[in-house]
Amino acid sequence: AVNTQRIVANRAWADANPAAKKLFSIMRLPVTDITAQNRAMHEGEKRPADIERHVDAWVRANQQTFDGWLDAARAAAR
């Protein structure tokens, strides 16, 4: 089933950390990517090393988007 993922953070903490606040506000993961990672975990790829491999593969496949998120977050911290 399709659902909505949200990052939840303490408002005072987020206000004190503008880079994180910006990053949390712009990050969006496609539900198909979330589903694929959940399926991999369900099929046994759930060790910390597996999850790190999933993340690294996602970042490589979406490097431009990921870098854009980081650039925007860094700009918010200035």
Coordinates of all heavy atoms in Angstrom, one line a residue:
A1 N 0.8 -1.2 0.0 CA 0.0 0.0 0.0 C 0.9 1.2 0.0 O 1.9 1.3 0.6 CB -0.9 0.0 1.2
V2 N 0.4 2.2 -0.7 CA 1.2 3.5 -0.8 C 0.9 4.2 0.5 O -0.2 4.3 1.0 CB 0.7 4.3 -2.0 CG1 1.4 5.7 -2.0 CG2 1.0 3.6 -3.3
N3 N 2.0 4.8 1.0 CA 1.8 5.7 2.2 C 2.8 6.9 2.1 O 3.5 7.0 1.2 CB 2.1 4.8 3.5 CG 3.5 4.3 3.6 OD1 4.4 4.8 2.9 ND2 3.7 3.3 4.4
T4 N 2.7 7.7 3.1 CA 3.5 8.9 3.2 C 4.5 8.8 4.3 O 4.2 8.5 5.4 CB 2.6 10.1 3.4 OG1 1.7 10.2 2.4 CG2 3.5 11.4 3.4
Q5 N 5.8 9.0 3.9 CA 6.9 9.0 4.9 C 7.2 10.4 5.3 O 7.2 11.3 4.5 CB 8.1 8.3 4.3 CG 7.9 7.0 3.7 CD 7.7 5.9 4.8 OE1 8.3 5.9 5.8 NE2 6.8 5.0 4.6
R6 N 7.4 10.6 6.6 CA 7.7 11.9 7.1 C 8.9 11.8 8.1 O 8.9 10.8 8.9 CB 6.5 12.5 7.8 CG 5.4 12.9 6.9 CD 4.3 13.7 7.6 NE 3.3 14.2 6.7 CZ 2.2 13.6 6.3 NH1 2.0 12.4 6.8 NH2 1.4 14.1 5.5
I7 N 9.7 12.8 8.2 CA 10.7 12.9 9.2 C 10.2 13.7 10.3 O 9.6 14.8 10.1 CB 12.0 13.5 8.6 CG1 12.6 12.6 7.5 CG2 13.0 13.7 9.7 CD1 13.7 13.2 6.8
V8 N 10.3 13.2 11.5 CA 9.8 13.9 12.7 C 11.0 14.4 13.5 O 11.9 13.6 13.8 CB 8.8 13.0 13.5 CG1 8.4 13.8 14.8 CG2 7.7 12.6 12.7
A9 N 11.0 15.7 13.9 CA 12.1 16.2 14.8 C 11.5 17.2 15.7 O 10.5 17.8 15.5 CB 13.1 16.9 13.9
N10 N 12.1 17.3 16.9 CA 11.8 18.3 17.9 C 11.9 19.7 17.2 O 12.9 20.0 16.6 CB 12.7 18.1 19.1 CG 12.5 19.2 20.1 OD1 12.9 20.3 20.0 ND2 11.8 18.8 21.2
R11 N 10.9 20.5 17.3 CA 10.9 21.8 16.7 C 12.0 22.7 17.2 O 12.7 23.4 16.4 CB 9.5 22.5 16.9 CG 9.5 23.9 16.2 CD 8.1 24.4 16.1 NE 7.4 23.4 15.3 CZ 6.2 23.5 14.9 NH1 5.4 24.5 15.3 NH2 5.6 22.6 14.2
A12 N 12.3 22.7 18.5 CA 13.3 23.6 19.0 C 14.7 23.1 18.5 O 15.5 23.9 18.1 CB 13.3 23.5 20.5
W13 N 14.9 21.8 18.4 CA 16.1 21.2 17.9 C 16.3 21.6 16.4 O 17.3 22.0 16.0 CB 16.2 19.7 18.0 CG 17.4 19.1 17.5 CD1 18.6 19.0 18.2 CD2 17.7 18.7 16.2 NE1 19.5 18.4 17.4 CE2 19.0 18.2 16.1 CE3 16.9 18.6 15.0 CZ2 19.6 17.7 15.0 CZ3 17.4 18.1 13.9 CH2 18.8 17.6 13.9
A14 N 15.2 21.4 15.6 CA 15.2 21.8 14.2 C 15.5 23.2 14.0 O 16.3 23.6 13.1 CB 13.9 21.4 13.5
D15 N 14.9 24.1 14.8 CA 15.2 25.5 14.7 C 16.6 25.9 15.0 O 17.2 26.8 14.4 CB 14.2 26.3 15.6 CG 12.8 26.3 15.1 OD1 12.6 26.0 13.9 OD2 11.9 26.6 15.9
A16 N 17.2 25.1 15.9 CA 18.6 25.4 16.2 C 19.6 24.7 15.2 O 20.8 25.0 15.3 CB 18.9 24.8 17.6
N17 N 19.1 23.9 14.3 CA 19.9 23.2 13.4 C 19.3 23.4 12.0 O 18.7 22.5 11.4 CB 19.9 21.7 13.7 CG 20.6 21.5 15.0 OD1 21.9 21.4 15.0 ND2 19.9 21.3 16.1
P18 N 19.5 24.6 11.4 CA 18.9 25.0 10.1 C 19.3 24.0 9.0 O 18.4 23.8 8.1 CB 19.3 26.4 9.9 CG 20.5 26.6 10.7 CD 20.4 25.7 11.9
A19 N 20.5 23.5 9.0 CA 20.8 22.6 7.9 C 20.0 21.3 7.9 O 19.4 20.9 6.9 CB 22.3 22.2 7.9
A20 N 19.8 20.7 9.1 CA 19.0 19.6 9.2 C 17.5 19.9 8.9 O 16.8 19.1 8.3 CB 19.1 19.0 10.7
K21 N 17.1 21.0 9.4 CA 15.7 21.4 9.2 C 15.4 21.5 7.7 O 14.4 21.0 7.2 CB 15.4 22.7 9.9 CG 14.0 23.2 9.7 CD 13.8 24.5 10.5 CE 12.3 25.0 10.4 NZ 12.1 26.2 11.3
K22 N 16.3 22.1 6.9 CA 16.2 22.2 5.5 C 16.2 20.8 4.8 O 15.4 20.5 4.0 CB 17.2 23.1 4.9 CG 17.2 23.3 3.4 CD 15.9 24.0 3.0 CE 15.8 24.3 1.6 NZ 14.6 25.0 1.2
L23 N 17.2 20.0 5.2 CA 17.3 18.7 4.6 C 16.0 17.9 4.9 O 15.5 17.3 3.9 CB 18.5 18.0 5.3 CG 18.8 16.6 4.7 CD1 19.2 16.7 3.3 CD2 19.9 15.9 5.5
F24 N 15.5 17.9 6.1 CA 14.3 17.2 6.4 C 13.1 17.7 5.6 O 12.2 16.9 5.3 CB 14.0 17.2 7.9 CG 15.0 16.6 8.8 CD1 14.9 16.8 10.2 CD2 16.0 15.8 8.3 CE1 15.9 16.2 11.0 CE2 17.0 15.2 9.1 CZ 16.9 15.4 10.5
S25 N 13.1 19.0 5.3 CA 12.0 19.5 4.6 C 12.0 19.2 3.1 O 10.9 19.3 2.4 CB 11.9 21.0 4.8 OG 12.9 21.7 4.0
I26 N 13.1 18.9 2.5 CA 13.2 18.7 1.1 C 13.4 17.2 0.7 O 13.2 16.9 -0.5 CB 14.3 19.6 0.4 CG1 15.7 19.3 1.0 CG2 13.9 21.0 0.6 CD1 16.8 20.0 0.3
M27 N 13.9 16.4 1.6 CA 14.1 15.0 1.2 C 12.8 14.3 0.9 O 11.9 14.4 1.6 CB 14.8 14.2 2.4 CG 16.2 14.6 2.6 SD 16.9 13.7 4.0 CE 16.7 12.0 3.5
R28 N 12.8 13.6 -0.3 CA 11.7 12.8 -0.7 C 12.2 11.6 -1.3 O 13.0 11.6 -2.3 CB 10.8 13.6 -1.7 CG 10.2 14.8 -1.2 CD 9.1 14.6 -0.2 NE 8.5 15.8 0.2 CZ 8.8 16.5 1.2 NH1 9.9 16.2 2.0 NH2 8.2 17.6 1.6
L29 N 11.8 10.4 -0.8 CA 12.2 9.1 -1.4 C 11.0 8.6 -2.2 O 9.9 8.5 -1.6 CB 12.7 8.2 -0.3 CG 13.9 8.6 0.5 CD1 14.2 7.6 1.6 CD2 15.1 8.7 -0.4
P30 N 11.2 8.1 -3.4 CA 10.1 7.5 -4.1 C 9.7 6.2 -3.4 O 10.5 5.4 -2.9 CB 10.8 7.1 -5.5 CG 12.0 8.0 -5.6 CD 12.4 8.2 -4.2
V31 N 8.3 6.1 -3.3 CA 7.8 4.9 -2.6 C 8.3 3.6 -3.2 O 8.4 2.6 -2.5 CB 6.2 5.0 -2.6 CG1 5.6 4.8 -3.9 CG2 5.7 4.0 -1.5
T32 N 8.6 3.6 -4.5 CA 9.1 2.4 -5.2 C 10.5 2.0 -4.6 O 10.8 0.8 -4.4 CB 9.2 2.5 -6.7 OG1 9.9 3.7 -7.0 CG2 7.8 2.6 -7.3
D33 N 11.3 3.0 -4.3 CA 12.6 2.8 -3.7 C 12.5 2.3 -2.3 O 13.2 1.4 -1.8 CB 13.4 4.0 -3.7 CG 13.8 4.5 -5.1 OD1 13.6 3.7 -6.1 OD2 14.3 5.6 -5.3
I34 N 11.5 2.8 -1.5 CA 11.3 2.4 -0.1 C 10.8 0.9 -0.2 O 11.3 0.1 0.6 CB 10.3 3.3 0.6 CG1 10.9 4.7 0.7 CG2 9.9 2.7 1.9 CD1 9.9 5.7 1.2
T35 N 9.9 0.6 -1.1 CA 9.3 -0.7 -1.2 C 10.4 -1.7 -1.6 O 10.5 -2.8 -1.0 CB 8.2 -0.7 -2.2 OG1 7.2 0.2 -1.8 CG2 7.6 -2.1 -2.4
A36 N 11.3 -1.3 -2.5 CA 12.4 -2.2 -2.9 C 13.3 -2.5 -1.7 O 13.7 -3.7 -1.5 CB 13.2 -1.6 -4.0
Q37 N 13.6 -1.5 -0.9 CA 14.5 -1.7 0.2 C 13.8 -2.6 1.3 O 14.4 -3.5 1.9 CB 14.9 -0.4 0.8 CG 16.2 -0.5 1.6 CD 16.0 -0.8 3.1 OE1 14.9 -0.6 3.6 NE2 17.0 -1.4 3.7
N38 N 12.5 -2.3 1.5 CA 11.8 -3.2 2.5 C 11.7 -4.6 2.0 O 11.8 -5.5 2.8 CB 10.4 -2.6 2.7 CG 10.3 -1.3 3.5 OD1 11.3 -1.0 4.2 ND2 9.3 -0.6 3.4
R39 N 11.5 -4.8 0.7 CA 11.5 -6.2 0.2 C 12.8 -6.9 0.4 O 12.9 -8.0 0.8 CB 11.1 -6.2 -1.3 CG 11.0 -7.6 -1.9 CD 10.5 -7.6 -3.3 NE 11.3 -6.8 -4.2 CZ 10.8 -5.6 -4.7 NH1 9.6 -5.2 -4.5 NH2 11.6 -4.9 -5.5
A40 N 13.9 -6.2 0.1 CA 15.3 -6.8 0.3 C 15.5 -7.2 1.8 O 16.0 -8.2 2.1 CB 16.3 -5.8 -0.1
M41 N 15.0 -6.3 2.7 CA 15.1 -6.7 4.1 C 14.2 -7.9 4.5 O 14.7 -8.8 5.2 CB 14.7 -5.5 5.0 CG 15.8 -4.4 5.0 SD 15.4 -2.9 6.0 CE 15.3 -3.7 7.6
H42 N 13.0 -7.9 3.9 CA 12.1 -9.0 4.2 C 12.7 -10.3 3.7 O 12.5 -11.4 4.2 CB 10.8 -8.7 3.5 CG 9.8 -9.8 3.7 ND1 9.2 -10.1 4.9 CD2 9.3 -10.8 2.8 CE1 8.4 -11.1 4.7 NE2 8.4 -11.6 3.5
E43 N 13.5 -10.2 2.6 CA 14.1 -11.4 2.0 C 15.4 -11.8 2.6 O 16.1 -12.7 2.2 CB 14.3 -11.2 0.5 CG 12.9 -11.1 -0.2 CD 13.0 -10.8 -1.7 OE1 14.1 -10.4 -2.2 OE2 12.0 -10.8 -2.4
G44 N 15.8 -11.1 3.8 CA 16.9 -11.5 4.5 C 18.1 -10.5 4.5 O 19.1 -10.7 5.3
E45 N 18.0 -9.5 3.7 CA 19.1 -8.5 3.6 C 18.9 -7.4 4.7 O 18.5 -6.3 4.4 CB 19.2 -7.9 2.3 CG 19.6 -8.9 1.2 CD 19.8 -8.2 -0.2 OE1 20.2 -7.0 -0.2 OE2 19.5 -8.9 -1.2
K46 N 19.0 -7.8 6.0 CA 18.7 -6.9 7.0 C 19.8 -6.6 8.0 O 19.6 -5.9 9.0 CB 17.4 -7.4 7.7 CG 17.5 -8.8 8.3 CD 16.2 -9.2 8.8 CE 16.2 -10.7 9.2 NZ 14.9 -11.2 9.6
R47 N 20.9 -7.2 7.8 CA 22.1 -6.9 8.7 C 22.5 -5.4 8.4 O 22.3 -4.9 7.3 CB 23.3 -7.8 8.3 CG 23.0 -9.3 8.7 CD 24.1 -10.1 8.2 NE 24.4 -9.9 6.8 CZ 25.6 -9.8 6.2 NH1 26.7 -10.0 6.9 NH2 25.7 -9.5 4.9
P48 N 23.2 -4.8 9.4 CA 23.6 -3.4 9.2 C 24.4 -3.3 7.9 O 24.3 -2.3 7.2 CB 24.5 -3.1 10.4 CG 23.8 -4.0 11.5 CD 23.4 -5.3 10.8
A49 N 25.3 -4.2 7.6 CA 26.1 -4.1 6.4 C 25.2 -4.1 5.1 O 25.5 -3.5 4.1 CB 27.1 -5.2 6.3
D50 N 24.2 -4.9 5.2 CA 23.2 -5.0 4.0 C 22.6 -3.6 3.8 O 22.4 -3.1 2.7 CB 22.1 -6.0 4.3 CG 22.6 -7.4 4.3 OD1 23.6 -7.8 3.6 OD2 22.1 -8.3 5.1
I51 N 22.1 -3.1 4.9 CA 21.4 -1.8 4.9 C 22.3 -0.7 4.4 O 22.0 0.2 3.5 CB 20.8 -1.4 6.2 CG1 19.7 -2.5 6.6 CG2 20.2 0.0 6.2 CD1 19.2 -2.5 8.0
E52 N 23.6 -0.7 4.8 CA 24.6 0.3 4.3 C 24.8 0.1 2.8 O 24.9 1.1 2.1 CB 25.9 0.1 5.1 CG 25.8 0.7 6.5 CD 27.2 0.6 7.2 OE1 28.2 0.8 6.5 OE2 27.2 0.4 8.4
R53 N 24.8 -1.1 2.4 CA 25.0 -1.4 0.9 C 23.8 -0.9 0.2 O 23.9 -0.3 -0.9 CB 25.2 -2.9 0.7 CG 25.5 -3.2 -0.7 CD 25.8 -4.7 -1.0 NE 24.5 -5.5 -0.8 CZ 24.2 -6.2 0.2 NH1 25.0 -6.3 1.2 NH2 23.0 -6.8 0.3
H54 N 22.5 -1.0 0.7 CA 21.3 -0.5 0.1 C 21.4 1.0 0.0 O 21.1 1.6 -1.1 CB 20.1 -0.9 0.9 CG 19.9 -2.3 1.1 ND1 19.0 -2.8 2.1 CD2 20.3 -3.4 0.4 CE1 19.0 -4.1 2.0 NE2 19.8 -4.5 1.0
V55 N 21.8 1.6 1.0 CA 21.9 3.1 1.1 C 23.0 3.6 0.1 O 22.7 4.5 -0.7 CB 22.3 3.6 2.5 CG1 22.6 5.1 2.5 CG2 21.1 3.3 3.4
D56 N 24.1 3.0 0.1 CA 25.2 3.4 -0.8 C 24.7 3.2 -2.3 O 25.0 4.1 -3.1 CB 26.5 2.6 -0.6 CG 27.1 2.9 0.7 OD1 26.8 4.0 1.3 OD2 28.0 2.1 1.2
A57 N 24.0 2.1 -2.6 CA 23.6 1.9 -4.0 C 22.5 3.0 -4.3 O 22.5 3.5 -5.5 CB 23.0 0.5 -4.1
W58 N 21.6 3.3 -3.4 CA 20.6 4.3 -3.7 C 21.3 5.7 -4.0 O 20.9 6.4 -4.9 CB 19.6 4.4 -2.6 CG 18.5 5.3 -2.9 CD1 17.3 5.0 -3.5 CD2 18.4 6.8 -2.8 NE1 16.5 6.1 -3.8 CE2 17.2 7.2 -3.4 CE3 19.3 7.7 -2.4 CZ2 16.8 8.5 -3.4 CZ3 19.0 9.1 -2.4 CH2 17.7 9.5 -3.0
V59 N 22.2 6.0 -3.1 CA 22.9 7.3 -3.3 C 23.6 7.4 -4.6 O 23.5 8.4 -5.4 CB 23.9 7.6 -2.1 CG1 24.8 8.8 -2.4 CG2 23.1 7.8 -0.8
R60 N 24.3 6.3 -5.0 CA 25.0 6.3 -6.3 C 24.0 6.4 -7.4 O 24.3 7.2 -8.4 CB 25.8 5.0 -6.5 CG 27.2 5.0 -5.8 CD 28.0 3.8 -6.3 NE 27.4 2.5 -6.2 CZ 27.3 1.8 -5.0 NH1 27.8 2.2 -3.9 NH2 26.6 0.6 -5.1
A61 N 22.9 5.8 -7.4 CA 21.9 5.8 -8.4 C 21.2 7.2 -8.5 O 20.6 7.5 -9.5 CB 20.9 4.7 -8.2
N62 N 21.2 7.9 -7.4 CA 20.5 9.2 -7.3 C 21.5 10.3 -6.8 O 21.0 11.2 -6.1 CB 19.4 9.0 -6.3 CG 18.4 8.0 -6.7 OD1 17.5 8.3 -7.5 ND2 18.5 6.8 -6.3
Q63 N 22.7 10.2 -7.3 CA 23.7 11.1 -6.8 C 23.4 12.6 -6.9 O 23.6 13.4 -6.0 CB 25.1 10.8 -7.4 CG 26.2 11.5 -6.8 CD 26.6 10.9 -5.4 OE1 26.8 9.7 -5.3 NE2 26.6 11.7 -4.4
Q64 N 22.9 13.0 -8.1 CA 22.5 14.4 -8.3 C 21.5 14.9 -7.4 O 21.6 16.0 -6.8 CB 22.1 14.6 -9.8 CG 21.9 16.0 -10.2 CD 21.7 16.1 -11.7 OE1 21.3 15.2 -12.4 NE2 21.8 17.4 -12.2
T65 N 20.4 14.1 -7.1 CA 19.4 14.5 -6.2 C 20.0 14.6 -4.8 O 19.8 15.6 -4.1 CB 18.3 13.4 -6.2 OG1 17.7 13.4 -7.5 CG2 17.2 13.7 -5.1
F66 N 20.8 13.6 -4.4 CA 21.4 13.6 -3.1 C 22.3 14.8 -2.8 O 22.2 15.5 -1.8 CB 22.1 12.3 -2.9 CG 22.8 12.1 -1.5 CD1 22.0 11.7 -0.5 CD2 24.1 12.3 -1.4 CE1 22.6 11.5 0.8 CE2 24.7 12.1 -0.1 CZ 23.9 11.7 1.0
D67 N 23.1 15.1 -3.8 CA 24.0 16.2 -3.7 C 23.2 17.5 -3.7 O 23.6 18.4 -2.9 CB 25.0 16.3 -4.9 CG 26.0 15.1 -4.9 OD1 26.2 14.5 -3.8 OD2 26.6 14.9 -5.9
G68 N 22.1 17.6 -4.4 CA 21.3 18.8 -4.3 C 20.7 19.0 -2.9 O 20.6 20.1 -2.4
W69 N 20.3 17.9 -2.3 CA 19.8 18.0 -0.9 C 20.9 18.6 0.0 O 20.6 19.4 0.8 CB 19.3 16.7 -0.4 CG 18.1 16.1 -1.1 CD1 17.2 16.7 -1.8 CD2 17.7 14.7 -1.0 NE1 16.2 15.8 -2.2 CE2 16.5 14.6 -1.7 CE3 18.3 13.6 -0.4 CZ2 15.9 13.4 -1.9 CZ3 17.6 12.4 -0.5 CH2 16.4 12.3 -1.3
L70 N 22.1 18.0 -0.1 CA 23.2 18.4 0.8 C 23.5 19.9 0.5 O 23.8 20.7 1.4 CB 24.4 17.5 0.6 CG 24.2 16.1 1.0 CD1 25.5 15.3 0.8 CD2 23.7 16.0 2.5
D71 N 23.6 20.3 -0.8 CA 23.9 21.7 -1.1 C 22.9 22.6 -0.5 O 23.2 23.7 0.1 CB 23.9 21.9 -2.6 CG 25.1 21.2 -3.3 OD1 26.1 20.9 -2.6 OD2 25.1 21.0 -4.5
A72 N 21.6 22.3 -0.6 CA 20.5 23.1 0.0 C 20.6 23.2 1.5 O 20.5 24.3 2.1 CB 19.2 22.6 -0.4
A73 N 21.0 22.1 2.1 CA 21.1 22.0 3.6 C 22.3 22.9 4.0 O 22.2 23.7 5.0 CB 21.3 20.6 4.1
R74 N 23.4 22.8 3.3 CA 24.6 23.6 3.7 C 24.3 25.1 3.5 O 24.7 25.9 4.3 CB 25.8 23.2 2.8 CG 26.3 21.8 3.1 CD 27.5 21.4 2.3 NE 27.9 20.1 2.5 CZ 27.9 19.1 1.6 NH1 27.4 19.3 0.4 NH2 28.3 17.9 1.9
A75 N 23.6 25.4 2.5 CA 23.2 26.8 2.2 C 22.3 27.4 3.4 O 22.5 28.5 3.8 CB 22.5 27.0 0.9
A76 N 21.5 26.5 3.9 CA 20.6 27.0 5.0 C 21.4 27.2 6.3 O 20.9 28.0 7.1 CB 19.5 25.9 5.2
A77 N 22.5 26.5 6.4 CA 23.3 26.7 7.6 C 24.1 28.0 7.6 O 24.7 28.4 8.6 CB 24.2 25.5 7.8
R78 N 24.3 28.6 6.5 CA 25.1 29.8 6.4 C 24.4 31.0 6.9 O 23.2 31.2 6.9 CB 25.5 30.1 4.9 CG 26.4 29.0 4.4 CD 27.0 29.4 3.1 NE 27.5 28.2 2.5 CZ 27.1 27.6 1.4 NH1 26.1 28.0 0.7 NH2 27.7 26.5 1.0

